[in-house]
Structures are given as structure tokens and as C-alpha cells.
């Protein structure tokens, strides 16, 4: 497969993912994180046809927003997980590892895997198999990136207080 051309992620993309599309001082950091994720995805050389670029780009933005939320503990992921627990008996839909510890305020592989699947499903006309190997590979590299960045990621105080 040839090198994929994917438009870089800018602070405005992160801003647009916030509640009320509000800009914050941390937007540049999370845009940089999203671009690192995007570079990681491109190195995998996955091919989703004409949807490759939209899937990878949206996934990177979604995961950067997830990271911003859990670092700030702003409650978006926590509310989603609570609702899933009430509705399905599981904190994360589709992916459950009874042997792993799960913390709502730290990166979690099952959550990352769900978000990768969700992004692919949102960007495509098909319903992706939850066990798709390409999506799992994306989740693995994304989780590694998020786990390494977690301690250094800035807390968006404004997001956590809104």
C-alpha cells in the first residue's frame, strides 16, 4: 500500500470535540498527541479502502479527547461507563477482561479498543467486527502511546470544572 495522505490534526479539531466546542489552553498538547497517534496508525500500514484516512484521523481525535477527559476526570467517560454498567452490566461495551484491573481515570486497553471500534464504525458504511485484527492492532499501538503519555499529560482544569 502506498503512503497514506492524512490531513494533520490541529488544535481546532480538538476544540470541536469538546462540549460546547470550547477552546482550552491544553488543545495544542492534545492535538500533538492526536498527531502522534496518527503517525503510529500510519506506520501500521493498514488499508480500510477509501475510509482509511477518515478512520485513522477520527480515531486519533477521539482517543486524544478520551485522554483529555480521563486526565481531567471531567466525567464524560465516567458517565458513559456508568450508563454501560447499568444497561449491559459491563463498564466498556464489547470488550471485557475480568482479570484486568479497570480504573476510570487511567488509560484502559478495553476502553481504547472500544473507541477504535466505535470510530471505525462511525466513519464507515459497515458495522465492524469487534474482533477485527486491524482494529485490534490500532488499539494496541494507541494504548501503548496513551499509557506512556498519561503521567505527562496536562490536566484541563477548565474542562474538569465545567
Amino acid at each position: 500500500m502506498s503512503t497514506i495522505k492524512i490531513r494533520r490534526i490541529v488544535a481546532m479539531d480538538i476544540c470541536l470535540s469538546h462540549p460546547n466546542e470550547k477552546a482550552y489552553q491544553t488543545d495544542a498538547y492534545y492535538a500533538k498527541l492526536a498527531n502522534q497517534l496518527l503517525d503510529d496508525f500510519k506506520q501500521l500500514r493498514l488499508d480500510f479502502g477509501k475510509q482509511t484516512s477518515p478512520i485513522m484521523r477520527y480515531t486519533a481525535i477521539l482517543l486524544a479527547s478520551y485522554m483529555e477527559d480521563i486526565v481531567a476526570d471531567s466525567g464524560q467517560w465516567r458517565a458513559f461507563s456508568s450508563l454501560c454498567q447499568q444497561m449491559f452490566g459491563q463498564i466498556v461495551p464489547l470488550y471485557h477482561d475480568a482479570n484486568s484491573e479497570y480504573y476510570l481515570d487511567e488509560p484502559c486497553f478495553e476502553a481504547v479498543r472500544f473507541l477504535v471500534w466505535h470510530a471505525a464504525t462511525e466513519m464507515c458504511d459497515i458495522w465492524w467486527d469487534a474482533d477485527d485484527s486491524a482494529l485490534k492492532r490500532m488499539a494496541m499501538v494507541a494504548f501503548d502511546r496513551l499509557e506512556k503519555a498519561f503521567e505527562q499529560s496536562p490536566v484541563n482544569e477548565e474542562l474538569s470544572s465545567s
Side-chain angles (χ1 to χ4, degrees):
M1 180 175 84
S2 63
T3 305
I4 310 165
K5 298 281 187 195
I6 303 176
R7 191 168 42 94
R8 301 303 286 172
I9 296 163
V10 297
M12 182 55 75
D13 295 314
I14 301 301
C15 172
L16 293 173
S17 71
H18 292 144
N20 300 321
E21 299 180 351
K22 187 173 189 248
Y24 296 107
Q25 290 183 334
T26 55
D27 291 351
Y29 172 86
Y30 288 101
K32 180 180 175 185
L33 178 62
N35 282 308
Q36 290 169 338
L37 288 162
L38 199 56
D39 291 340
D40 293 341
F41 297 155
K42 287 194 286 188
Q43 287 182 13
L44 292 173
R45 300 199 183 288
L46 301 174
D47 187 357
F48 302 117
K50 66 180 181 162
Q51 293 304 107
T52 300
S53 177
I55 287 172
M56 289 184 178
R57 193 168 191 283
Y58 180 57
T59 302
I61 293 168
L62 189 62
L63 289 170
S65 296
Y66 160 75
M67 182 72 140
E68 183 176 32
D69 174 66
I70 63 172
V71 168
D73 199 12
S74 66
Q76 296 168 68
W77 182 255
R78 190 177 294 275
F80 173 75
S81 294
S82 177
L83 183 60
C84 289
Q85 180 68 44
Q86 290 172 6
M87 293 175 68
F88 310 118
Q90 301 291 338
I91 292 174
V92 179
L94 301 178
Y95 305 104
H96 319 288
D97 183 355
N99 297 324
S100 71
E101 294 184 41
Y102 184 85
Y103 302 101
L104 289 170
D105 58 351
E106 293 180 17
C108 166
F109 180 66
E110 290 82 9
V112 170
R113 196 165 176 202
F114 170 75
L115 290 168
V116 169
W117 171 85
H118 170 74
T121 300
E122 284 290 308
M123 293 291 105
C124 223
D125 291 339
I126 65 168
W127 186 266
W128 286 86
D129 180 347
D131 292 322
D132 183 85
S133 63
L135 298 181
K136 186 174 184 180
R137 288 176 58 205
M138 285 179 71
M140 290 169 65
V141 301
F143 177 70
D144 186 50
R145 170 73 61 190
L146 296 180
E147 194 173 48
K148 287 176 182 170
F150 180 67
E151 293 296 328
Q152 293 79 35
S153 296
V155 176
N156 182 338
E157 299 288 345
E158 293 176 272
L159 185 62
S160 63
S161 64
S162 61

